[in-house]
Amino acid sequence: MFATTPDQELLERTTARFLEDRYPVSRLRELADRTSTFDPAVWREGAALGWTSLLVAEGAGGGSVSGNGVADLQVVASLFGLHAAPGPLLGTNVVAAALARWGTPEQQAGPLAALLAGEAAGAWGHATTVGAPGGRRRVVTATPAADGAVVLSGSVATVEGAAEATHLLVTADAPGGPSQHLVPLDAAGVSLTALRGVDLTRRYARVDLHDVALPAGSRVGAPGEADEHDEQLVDLLAAVLTAEMVGAVQRAFTTTLEWTVDRYSFGRPLGSYQAIKHRLADARTQLEASEAVAARAAEALGAGAPDGRAWASAAMAHVAARAPEIVQECVQLHGGIGVTYELDLHLYLRRVVVDSQLYGSATDFARRLGRLVADDEGRAA
Amino acid sequence: MSDEQESVEEFAARARTWLAANMPPADPTAGYFSFHEDPADSQAHADRRIAVCRDLQARLFDGGFAGICVPRQYGGQALTPAHQAAFNRELRGYDHPLEIQVSTFIPCMAVLLELGTEDQKLRHIPKMLRGEEVWAQFLSEPSGGSDAAGALTTAVRDGDQWVLNGSKIWTTGGWYSDWAMCLARTNWDVEKHRGLTVFSFPVSAEGVDVQHIQLLNGSREFCQEFLTDVVVDDRDRIGEVDEGWTVMGRWLYHERTVAGGSPYVTTAGAKSAALPNDGPAIAALARRGGNLDDPAVLEAVGEARALSMVSEAMVGSVSRKMASGALPQHAAAMLRLFSGTATTRRTTLALDVAGHEAVVWEPGDEQLASVGLGYLVRQAAQIGGGTVEMARNVISERLLGMPREQRNDGGPFRDVPRGPAAG
């Protein structure tokens, strides 16, 4: 889907083959009953294929395959959507990107190196309210202690893969302005509560921080920089999520198109009715549009273009609105079987529903883009 | 020219210098497709704009930048699509004859280049490139818009001439065009696609009656033509007799390249920010109305902007995929469908943000008038240039390989059922 260079095509082929082998639908259905879906061996092999290094500069131990790591990661993310595979792809890559950009040499030599090698997984305590009119609501506070140490307190909702990750990246309110911290998840005062949700293969937890004492070296970036850093991570998030949704929609669309050819009603293939054909034409067009805008966002972000944030916001505003609707349309075209557990379609529906809501909705990202447009328009007026 | 072809870089540098000295800056309000409260204003505005286009085209010709990919013997520059693309990039920010690119250069000049006689090319193409001949497409008929092959306009041979009778409709700017390319039926006794022939003639020819169509927003840009015993020389026939559908294949192909990729179009590109009812335009409306900080309004602004950006991204990626063969040419129908539905949605968003002020306004308030009147013709975005329903047929049947619709127009065209209104 997103591969445009020979090296990306190689990444696509190897990742697709690996995910097909490790996460066939039968395996996904087994995982649905498990408390943990994380497989350290699979993750290490995935890291060897390049899954964890794409957003990290070569100097920090990473590397892209095409020169644009965001676009490369879309190749992988779309296949995670296509296979409804567990991660933690998003958390690990976001934390790695943050450490590579703003981390200390110690953070890069320790936690980042482990993430890149697939020896550890990262968790992102996003808790951001994208595009909120009154600004972001912080849920964690950092209180200064002696020698630059801090004490964190608060509660971080819906963290993917927190149970298996080694480190949590979280933004806390602090006297010097909001700052990001890297919290070892085995630190004293950290407790996890497993959450339930619609995704069968990804696990989420609430992370509570009770007076968690961290040394001075735990801060990522300078005090007060966290808001802008969070926005940059949200941009990357948008590129990854939209690609993953495109992959999931691709699978739902393909199986539905096959269904309309094979299914007969009133002596005709379902797909011979114009009412059905036109709806698939709409779905196919929205799929193409979604892939186009997602890829464009990665192009802009990877190049560091000034309109990268606008493209990332546009991609989420559009794809998060359309992807669930396309998959629901696929459910409708299946009729009764479409709402059964037996049909695999719901695996992809669950994926796009989570992706389109958990980190900010289409409406939130539309508002984020609207604010960028309004600010521009204000300058031009 | 015996010396080697100018490199794209040298050409671009020369174009940059020439443009700065010879072409006026773009006027963002100079768009031809603008609505005016008074239909007479729209008409006068369009007339003035076309006169400007002719002048700008003449300047391009005199400067050696017209017909960049057209052979020299027809007045062109005999350069490559890469040169045209470079020129189009340099053109950003300058006014240029955008409104006559379609129909004069695509499809009409492109069809002449491919299928015209040497005599036709020499007679017309230099004049097109000088802005002296603006062409129109006489294609749709009142009996059916999307079914072009069902043309009822009839051409009967009379020695070295043909006599045409019938009616054409939805012609853009029929009243200001000099020549027309026209599809007509020359044989009623064969299957419908096999009895068609393409002709060309001056719009001022005797028997051509051009009537404005008034749209419900007051626009009078489209025309209907009534052809009564119009005499056309056989040398103005394009392609073989009864082979008109072959010509139509190229005609429609070149018309579709309006979305991008034509080597014959001189344009700085419709920047998405310049699309009607794009995010910035809606933000400006909201700022006027004092509700730009309303979260729901910001969402509308963002949604409109996102739709324009998705359109832009999609044109780029689908064009690239078609060029590389990753997608068939029929994939262009997805661009048509998306832009049609996205444009209608943006129109609705603009109306929602402007609210009551867009339905009743102070005299002379063109900004609000354009929102209200634009909403009235909102569906034109899903109709003009082929309806979105036709696009959905093409996507489902040609791209997805779903079963074709059953047809009832086989056999001699004379016997194909026609509605009572079609005569």
Side-chain angles (χ1 to χ4, degrees), chain B residues 30-348:
Chain B
Y32 171 77
F33 291 101
S34 56
F35 299 112
H36 292 265
E37 273 201 286
D38 181 352
D41 285 353
S42 293
Q43 176 84 36
H45 179 84
D47 282 336
R48 277 197 305 276
R49 180 63 194 158
I50 292 304
V52 168
C53 283
R54 287 175 184 268
D55 171 60
L56 293 173
Q57 184 63 40
R59 292 196 207 187
L60 288 175
F61 184 88
D62 292 341
F65 294 102
I68 287 169
C69 293
V70 172
R72 290 197 167 274
Q73 64 266 37
Y74 312 129
Q77 306 301 321
L79 293 168
T80 68
H83 290 82
Q84 180 71 59
F87 188 73
N88 290 349
R89 279 194 296 276
E90 297 299 333
L91 201 53
R92 290 249 162 98
Y94 291 101
D95 197 7
H96 55 283
L98 178 66
E99 292 84 351
I100 60 167
Q101 300 300 309
V102 183
S103 308
T104 302
F105 298 113
I106 58 165
C108 294
M109 183 188 78
V111 167
L112 284 180
L113 276 171
E114 288 184 11
L115 302 166
T117 63
E118 191 62 18
D119 163 61
Q120 287 167 345
K121 293 181 207 179
L122 290 170
R123 268 193 293 140
H124 296 299
I125 294 176
K127 288 184 178 171
M128 290 169 151
L129 295 177
R130 288 199 296 265
E132 292 168 10
E133 267 187 22
V134 172
W135 281 54
Q137 304 174 65
F138 285 10
L139 182 56
S140 295
E141 298 200 1
S143 57
S146 295
D147 183 12
L152 303 180
T153 292
T154 301
V156 176
R157 188 159 204 156
D158 180 12
D160 281 345
Q161 297 184 315
W162 295 82
V163 180
L164 272 65
N165 280 283
S167 180
K168 294 291 177 177
I169 197 168
W170 303 121
T171 312
T172 303
W175 85 90
Y176 60 69
S177 297
D178 305 295
W179 273 71
M181 193 170 274
C182 178
L183 179 70
R185 186 160 302 282
T186 40
N187 190 342
W188 285 69
D189 296 314
V190 293
E191 191 263 329
K192 81 183 217 184
H193 294 85
R194 295 170 190 267
L196 298 164
T197 306
V198 173
F199 296 93
S200 59
F201 50 83
V203 177
S204 60
E206 199 170 328
V208 179
D209 177 19
V210 179
Q211 297 285 336
H212 289 274
I213 299 168
Q214 184 172 346
L215 299 188
L216 47 74
N217 64 349
S219 157
R220 290 158 59 84
E221 168 215 344
F222 291 108
C223 295
Q224 178 169 9
E225 296 81 22
F226 297 92
L227 311 180
T228 309
D229 294 333
V230 176
V231 175
V232 177
D233 279 350
D234 190 54
R235 71 171 189 154
D236 288 327
R237 169 171 50 80
I238 298 167
E240 298 304 312
V241 175
D242 291 349
E243 294 286 335
W245 196 246
T246 309
V247 180
M248 277 313 303
R250 301 310 296 163
W251 179 331
L252 294 174
Y253 167 78
H254 285 294
E255 191 188 20
R256 278 195 294 263
T257 61
V258 66
S262 174
Y264 303 124
V265 174
T266 296
T267 173
K271 273 195 74 183
S272 59
L275 292 172
N277 300 320
D278 191 8
I282 296 180
L285 278 174
R287 190 178 297 282
R288 241 188 93 161
N291 60 349
L292 185 53
D293 287 329
D294 180 339
V297 168
L298 285 175
E299 284 155 29
V301 169
E303 184 186 345
R305 183 73 194 121
L307 286 169
S308 304
M309 293 171 79
V310 176
S311 285
E312 183 187 325
M314 198 178 175
V315 168
S317 80
V318 171
S319 302
R320 272 195 304 278
K321 288 180 183 181
M322 290 193 304
S324 75
L327 279 175
Q329 293 297 316
H330 292 299
M334 292 195 289
L335 301 178
R336 193 273 165 275
L337 173 57
F338 191 89
S339 92
T341 51
T343 303
T344 54
R345 176 65 185 151
R346 288 201 317 271
T347 306
T348 305

Side-chain angles (χ1 to χ4, degrees), chain A residues 309-321:
Chain A
R309 183 152 301 160
W311 279 108
S313 304
M316 267 301 273
H318 192 76
V319 180

Side-chain angles (χ1 to χ4, degrees), chain A residues 1-2 70 73-75 77-79 81-82 90 234-250 286-287 289-298 301 311-323 351-352 355-356 359-360 362 365, chain B residues 310:
Chain A
M1 278 165 282
F2 286 88
V70 189
L73 186 55
Q74 284 193 326
V75 172
S78 66
L79 291 167
L82 193 77
L90 184 72
V234 166
D235 293 338
L236 294 173
L237 159 95
V240 177
L241 286 183
T242 51
E244 185 168 85
M245 285 190 270
V246 167
V249 170
Q250 172 78 56
Q286 290 293 353
L287 174 59
S290 297
E291 184 184 339
V293 72
R296 186 66 179 266
L301 290 172
W311 279 108
S313 304
M316 267 301 273
H318 192 76
V319 180
R322 299 321 311 164
R351 182 62 48 135
V352 296
D355 286 355
S356 64
Y359 303 89
F365 280 91
Chain B
V310 176

Side-chain angles (χ1 to χ4, degrees), chain A residues 274 277-278 282 288 377, chain B residues 287 321 393 397 403 405:
Chain A
Q274 200 173 39
K277 288 159 61 178
H278 280 195
D282 282 324
E288 191 71 32
E377 192 267 344
Chain B
R287 190 178 297 282
K321 288 180 183 181
N393 277 354
E397 296 178 359
E405 286 302 301

